[in-house]
Structure formats: C-alpha cells, structure tokens
C-alpha cells in the first residue's frame, strides 16, 4: 500500500528498454490486484500485450487520443481512479506516455500538465510512470521531465529527481492567440443574459458549430460570473477572431485567482467553488489566466474549425 | 397540454392553466382579469372574480363594464372577497386546495365545464410567513389543476423592491407568466412529473433553491421526473441547486428532454443523483 502519489519519469531509447522496464512494473501491479492502465503508442501497446499474454486484464488507451487536452486528460484519469478505488482496488499503476503534439504551445501545455498532475492527484494511491522516448522527443521535452517528475523510474526502483521544481512554479500562463479582428465588446452588468447573447451572436458570426457555440456560452458565462463575484469592476468582455481561433477575453481590475492551479483540479459539485474555471478548461480548447498590476484577464479560445 | 412560459394572449389559456401576473396598476389588472374570465365563460366555464375589496364595492366596480354586468346578471360570473375565499387571509395550503376542488365540483354539478378564477392575491403575501405558506398553496393547487378543469389568474401587485422579491418567488411557482416573467418557473405536470423552465445562472440559482424547497417535488416520490425542455440556459449553479435539493431529500432527478448543453454539463459533472432519461 502506498498512501501517496508516485509520479516517475522513465527515459527509454528502444522498444527493448521500454519492455524491460515496464513489464515488471505492470506484472507487479497485477499481482497486487491493483488497477493497471497503460497509455502509449499502438506499437508499444502491442509489444507489452505480446509479452504479457492474452489472459491478463489491464486497461489500455492510445496516447494520441487520451492526451487530447490537459483538463480532459486529468478528468479521464480522475474517473479511472474513482472507479478503481470504488470497486475495491487497493491502488493503481499507470503507464502514461504523453503525446506532446507538434506545436510550441502544445509542448508547453503538456509540460505544464506533467507538473499539474503532481497536485491534481496528490494523495491518491497511484503510481504513475511516464515514459519519455529519448530518441524521438525534442531534447527540451526530455529535459523538462526531470523538473516535472519528483522521481525517475529505472525498472522496479525509482530515485529522487534533483531537478524537480515545485509545481506552483511551473504552471504560469502561456501565450494565447491575440489580435485579429475585434468582433465586439461588452461591459458585464448585473445580468448575465446579455453576456450569453453576445457570445451566441459572435460565435455564430465566427462560424462555430452549435455545440461549440453552447460550450463557449457556458465558458464565458462562468468566467464572467467569477469576474462579477470576485473581480473589481468594470468587468469587460471582448471577442477576437483570427484565422484559426475565436478568443473571448474577460478582464477586470482585481488580482485574479490566487491559487496557481485554479481550474486544473477537479472540484466536487457539492463544494461549488472552483467549478466554473474547471468546467471552462474542459470545454474551451485553451484557457489562460494572466494577472498583474493592471488587473486580471482570462482568455478562452475555441478553434473555428473544430466540431 | 397546459400552457407554459410568458404569454400575452389570454385566448391561449385553457381550462387547466395557471398564470401569474405581477401587475402595477389595479385597473389594468381588473380589466384583463375580466377578459380572462369572459373568455372562459364563453367556453362554458364558470367565472369568479376574487377581489381585495368588499364584494359590494368590487361588484359595483365590475358593473362599469357592460359585458361583465351582463355576465353577473346571468350568474356565470360571481364576485367573492379575498377574506371569505382564503380563510381570513391565512389559509392552510391543503385546505385551500380542497376548497377549490369542492367549488370546481359544484360548478361541474350545475352544468359548467369547469371553474375559472381571477384573484388579486396581493394581501395574502404581505409577510414572509404568509408568503411562504401561500407559495406552498400555489404549488399544491398547480398540481390539482393538472387533472382538473380549474384555471386561475393570480394577480400580485408588485410596486416596491421589497414586494418584488416576494412576488418573484410566487411567480416562479406558476407555469405561465403574464407581463414580466420570473427567471425560472417550476410547475406540476401530469402523472406526477414536474417541469422546469427559464434561465438558471448564479443570480437565479438561489430562486431555484427556494422554489424547490417550497414545491418539494420529492415529497411523494424518491424518483422525480423533471422535464427540462423549457430550459433556455442552465450553468453549474443550477445543477448544484438540483443536486443539493435531491441530496437533502434522499431523492433522484430523472431529467427528460434536457437541452444539449445541460446533458453535456451533467455528463461532465458526473453527479450521481441526476440522470438523463434515454429518449
């Protein structure tokens, strides 16, 4: 029994390394009747599957699908953990090979995700090993793993990482698309109805699908609610459109959320607080919070070609 | 099907409809109340105007309208006083429903196809205690109407900020609003189901909480069917109000016809006492 989260990086250079390190990890977990899940490439899944044989039961997923959006991935792991523990499993073992995407922003999003994971699942009886392919991944991604993982895994054993950086210092805001065309702006008043009308109109104008329009309506409604409740007025809403994204910016003169993990950690419905930002991160393609002397700006974006 | 939502056309209201009007001007209320009753009488219902004034004064006032005067002479229209009708202003919710059930049966027994009332009920919600008891009655009578040829226009004068809040609380328990609509409406439907309409966000979630407590839809059944087809918008504050109420009553909501954004929200939040019915 491990009472706390273990989050290890595994550096591997070949399929042989991958199997040699992870096969004992998976087998050991199965022997302990823990819930085992392996998320990696179809190729690696095949290799592991061949080595384990057909009569073993463990969950699998493809990295490219599982690592769709950081908040969504956190939500998926949360559900897996809740389900496993409520069905009596003593703990979980997860092999999670992150798909870092191709763009700089995607790289930055997933590096941040690796840091957030330490906090999102701190205290869970789970051992998560994240394999990093040192031959395929950009050196800066491999190097970041030592900062986002408290320890490194070497097959059966793990050792403390001396480069680990406190997650709170790793989760700052990333750049969001700016500029393009200003579709409109609105000062948020007492009623949120005009906010929803504004979002519906501008989303339709930008060519968003009906589900995406509804999602953005929920997102901006939640962010504007937070601005009204916790920010310093005036709360201003702007809609920007460039070639790829529709961006909503809600700004006020307050200091913004004090918790650096705001919206990254799934809250309980019964508690209520923190729900708005969590939902917003799940529903929007991207969400960034920037705070400074001039106040706070929260931006949510949605691709104009999505869904 | 009973009518729901905001309406301006009184002709759309049928023999089991229940509407609320937060009026500002007494003369405007009485003139539309008479229209509402006259339309019902033309369709074979018996009409009763329940006035805040003594019946003689109210009747004299009504007789200024020629059509109303004729209907009074024919006996199809009557005038009752609020005091007599509502147990000196402090009715027991269940007893008051019984009163109208007996009155409806009586109308049917003398050949009318049902009973329709128009009441200025302002005097019945002047204190928070009275307003709470009367809100409970408004919901119970709404349940009664789903299976009876009894229809009502409930008027409440709304002319101060203090009173506006009380009127909104009451209006939220009527399926139909005339004039200004409250942000949400919770009402009874046939076969023990309930309907929830309107826009629920941070500002109106408190109204949903108090409305659920007053209507108490889980009182007779632990699985409450809630029709959401009239929801224009609901965010997580609305979902939380439903979850909290269901938790407090050890009940479950089975939601029918939710708008797509509400289904998505419930799916994401993964709350165990709200289930979306498979249609």
């Amino acid at each position: 029994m491990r009472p706390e989260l273990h989050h290890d990086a595994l550096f591997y250079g070949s399929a042989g390394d991958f199997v040699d390190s992870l096969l004992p990890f998976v087998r050991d977990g199965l022997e302990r009747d823990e819930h085992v899940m392996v998320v990696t490439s179809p190729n690696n899944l095949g290799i592991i599957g061949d080595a384990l044989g057909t009569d073993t039961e463990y969950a699998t997923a493809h990295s490219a699908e599982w690592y769709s959006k950081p908040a969504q991935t956190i939500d998926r792991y949360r559900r897996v953990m809740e389900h496993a523990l409520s069905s009596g499993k003593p703990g979980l073992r997860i092999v999670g090979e992150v798909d870092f995407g191709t763009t700089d922003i995607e790289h930055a999003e997933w590096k941040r995700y690796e840091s957030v994971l330490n906090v999102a699942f701190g205290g869970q009886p789970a051992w998560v090993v994240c394999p990093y392919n040192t031959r395929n991944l950009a050196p800066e991604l491999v190097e970041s793993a030592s900062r986002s993982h408290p320890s490194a895994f070497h097959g059966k054993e793990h050792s403390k990482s001396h480069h680990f950086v406190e997650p709170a210092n790793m989760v700052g805001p990333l750049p969001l698309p700016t500029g393009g065309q200003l579709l409109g702006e609105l000062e948020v008043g007492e009623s949120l109805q005009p906010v929803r009308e504004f979002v519906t109109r501008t989303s339709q104008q930008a060519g968003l699908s009906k589900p995406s329009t509804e999602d953005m309506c929920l997102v901006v409604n939640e962010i504007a609610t937070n601005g009204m409740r916790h920010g310093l007025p005036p709360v201003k809403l702007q809609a920007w459109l460039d070639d790829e994204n529709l961006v909503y910016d809600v700004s006020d003169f307050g200091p913004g959320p004090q918790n650096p993990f705001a919206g990254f950690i799934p809250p309980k419905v019964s508690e209520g607080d923190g729900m708005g930002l969590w939902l917003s991160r799940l529903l929007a393609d991207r969400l960034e919070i920037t705070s400074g002397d001039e106040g706070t700006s929260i931006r949510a974006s949605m691709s104009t070609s999505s869904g | 099907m009973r009518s729901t939502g905001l309406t301006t056309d009184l002709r759309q209201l049928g023999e089991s409809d229940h509407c609320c009007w937060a009026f500002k001007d007494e003369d405007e209320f009485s003139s539309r109340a008479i229209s509402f009753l006259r339309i019902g009488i033309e369709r074979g219902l018996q009409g009763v105007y329940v006035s805040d004034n003594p019946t003689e004064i109210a009747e004299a006032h009504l007789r200024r309208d020629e059509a109303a005067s004729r209907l009074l002479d024919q006996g199809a229209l009557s005038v009752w006083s609020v005091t007599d009708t509502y147990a000196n202003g402090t009715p027991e919710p269940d007893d008051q429903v019984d009163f109208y059930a007996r009155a409806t049966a009586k109308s049917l027994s003398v050949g009318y196809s049902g009973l329709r009332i128009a009441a200025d009920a302002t005097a019945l919600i002047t204190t928070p205690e009275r307003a709470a008891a009367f809100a409970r009655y408004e919901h119970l009578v709404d349940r009664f109407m789903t299976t009876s040829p009894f229809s009502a226009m409930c008027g409440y004068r709304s002319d101060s900020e203090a009173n506006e809040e009380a009127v909104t609380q009451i209006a939220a328990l009527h399926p139909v609003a005339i004039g200004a609509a409250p942000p949400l409406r919770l009402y009874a439907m046939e076969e023990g189901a309930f309907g929830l309409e309107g826009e629920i966000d941070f500002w109106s979630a408190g109204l949903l909480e108090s409305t659920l407590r007053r209507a108490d839809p889980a009182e007779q059944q632990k699985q409450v069917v809630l029709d959401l087809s009239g929801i224009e918008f609901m965010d997580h504050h609305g979902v939380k109000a439903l979850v909290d109420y269901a938790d407090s009553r050890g009940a479950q909501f089975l939601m029918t016809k939710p708008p797509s954004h509400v289904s998505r929200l419930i799916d994401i939040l993964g709350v165990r006492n709200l289930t979306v019915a498979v249609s």
Side-chain angles (χ1 to χ4, degrees), chain B residues 54-275:
Chain B
T55 46
E56 306 76 40
I57 296 173
E59 191 172 327
H61 186 81
L62 283 191
R63 283 194 182 276
R64 293 193 300 188
D65 181 297
E66 208 178 301
S69 191
R70 203 171 53 245
L71 294 174
L72 282 165
D73 291 339
Q74 290 165 2
L77 177 64
S78 322
V79 180
W80 296 350
S81 77
V82 165
T83 328
D84 293 345
T85 309
Y86 294 97
N88 289 319
T90 51
E92 282 295 320
D94 287 303
D95 294 348
Q96 190 62 38
V97 176
D98 278 349
F99 171 86
Y100 277 128
R102 285 195 307 275
T104 305
K106 198 171 166 200
S107 295
L108 290 170
S109 74
V110 296
Y112 293 103
S113 56
L115 177 63
R116 168 168 284 192
I117 64 156
D120 175 355
T122 310
L124 300 168
I125 60 163
T126 47
T127 67
E129 297 74 32
R130 277 185 160 199
F134 205 69
R136 177 70 184 153
Y137 152 74
E138 283 280 25
H139 175 69
L140 292 181
V141 82
D142 194 52
R143 290 191 199 173
F144 166 69
M145 286 182 204
T146 61
T147 53
S148 307
F150 177 60
S151 50
M153 175 190 280
C154 310
Y156 295 91
R157 194 165 51 254
S158 173
D159 49 11
S160 69
E161 238 173 74
N163 157 280
E164 206 174 297
E165 162 101 36
V167 172
T168 301
Q169 295 268 357
I170 289 267
L173 291 157
H174 292 72
V176 179
I178 294 176
L184 61 93
R185 295 164 296 284
L186 177 71
Y187 50 85
M189 296 177 75
E190 283 178 34
E191 290 169 12
F194 295 85
L196 180 61
E197 286 194 354
E199 299 192 49
I200 304 163
D201 58 21
F202 172 73
W203 300 108
S204 56
L207 177 61
L208 178 57
E209 280 170 32
S210 58
T211 304
L212 282 167
R213 274 200 311 273
R214 288 173 168 185
D216 200 11
E219 146 195 60
Q220 284 162 336
Q221 51 201 352
K222 291 300 161 204
Q223 165 121 315
V224 179
V225 177
L226 191 64
D227 185 312
L228 295 184
S229 56
I231 289 286
E232 289 153 67
F233 179 80
M234 177 150 80
D235 69 8
H236 84 268
H237 299 97
V239 175
K240 184 178 182 318
L242 290 170
V243 168
D244 288 349
Y245 168 75
D247 275 345
S248 76
R249 298 299 261 134
Q252 296 256 336
F253 278 112
L254 180 65
M255 336 272 266
T256 59
K257 301 181 218 144
S260 48
H261 78 275
V262 176
S263 301
R264 253 195 321 285
L265 199 55
I266 290 170
D267 183 43
I268 290 174
L269 296 176
V271 280
R272 69 188 181 292
N273 49 15
L274 300 188
T275 321

Side-chain angles (χ1 to χ4, degrees), chain A residues 63-290:
Chain A
S63 293
E65 286 156 21
W66 189 261
Y67 292 97
S68 52
K69 184 159 73 181
Q72 211 159 40
T73 305
I74 291 172
D75 193 42
R76 289 187 180 129
Y77 276 131
R78 173 180 72 95
R79 285 170 193 249
V80 167
M81 289 185 191
E82 275 179 12
H83 181 73
L85 297 175
S86 68
S87 40
K89 293 286 182 185
L92 296 97
R93 283 197 186 204
I94 291 165
V95 175
E97 183 162 23
V98 175
D99 182 336
F100 282 90
T102 50
T103 65
D104 287 348
I105 285 290
E106 285 174 305
H107 287 180
E109 285 260 23
W110 290 108
K111 282 195 290 186
R112 181 168 65 178
Y113 156 86
E114 283 278 46
S115 273
V116 167
L117 193 104
N118 297 300
V119 179
F121 299 120
Q124 294 286 338
W127 189 349
V128 182
V129 173
C130 305
Y132 279 70
N133 186 330
T134 53
R135 287 202 307 182
N136 290 354
L137 288 172
E140 59 107 10
L141 292 175
V142 174
E143 188 246 341
S144 76
S146 305
R147 279 177 290 155
S148 56
H149 295 72
S151 43
F153 185 72
H154 318 280
K156 283 206 165 180
E157 296 300 319
H158 53 164
S159 63
K160 198 168 169 359
S161 165
H162 298 291
H163 302 286
F164 181 65
V165 178
E166 273 308 312
N169 299 325
M170 293 275 284
V171 296
L174 306 174
L176 253 192
T178 52
Q181 181 198 353
L182 180 67
L183 288 185
E185 54 190 331
L186 180 80
E187 194 177 316
V188 181
E190 178 86 343
S191 166
L192 291 161
Q193 212 173 20
V195 169
R196 299 191 287 267
E197 281 164 10
F198 175 84
V199 174
T200 303
R201 191 179 71 244
T202 46
S203 288
Q204 283 168 351
Q205 198 180 336
L208 253 56
S209 66
K210 185 170 177 279
S212 294
T213 299
E214 289 177 353
D215 286 352
M216 284 319 262
C217 207
L218 278 167
V219 167
V220 179
N221 175 79
E222 295 285 7
I223 301 172
T225 304
N226 284 344
M228 292 291 299
R229 291 182 63 196
H230 309 299
L232 277 181
V235 180
K236 202 167 79 176
L237 167 62
Q238 290 185 319
W240 294 87
L241 180 67
D242 69 9
D243 292 342
E244 292 163 0
N245 295 293
L246 173 63
V247 181
Y248 289 100
D249 181 302
V250 178
S251 58
D252 69 75
F253 290 94
Q258 298 304 295
N259 182 343
F261 303 102
F264 282 117
I265 316 291
K268 289 193 169 61
V269 177
S270 53
E271 286 163 8
D273 276 357
M275 189 58 80
L277 276 177
W278 163 247
L279 278 171
S280 299
R281 286 204 195 272
L282 271 177
L283 292 169
D285 281 350
R286 297 192 50 220
L287 185 130
E288 296 296 339
I289 304 167
T290 48

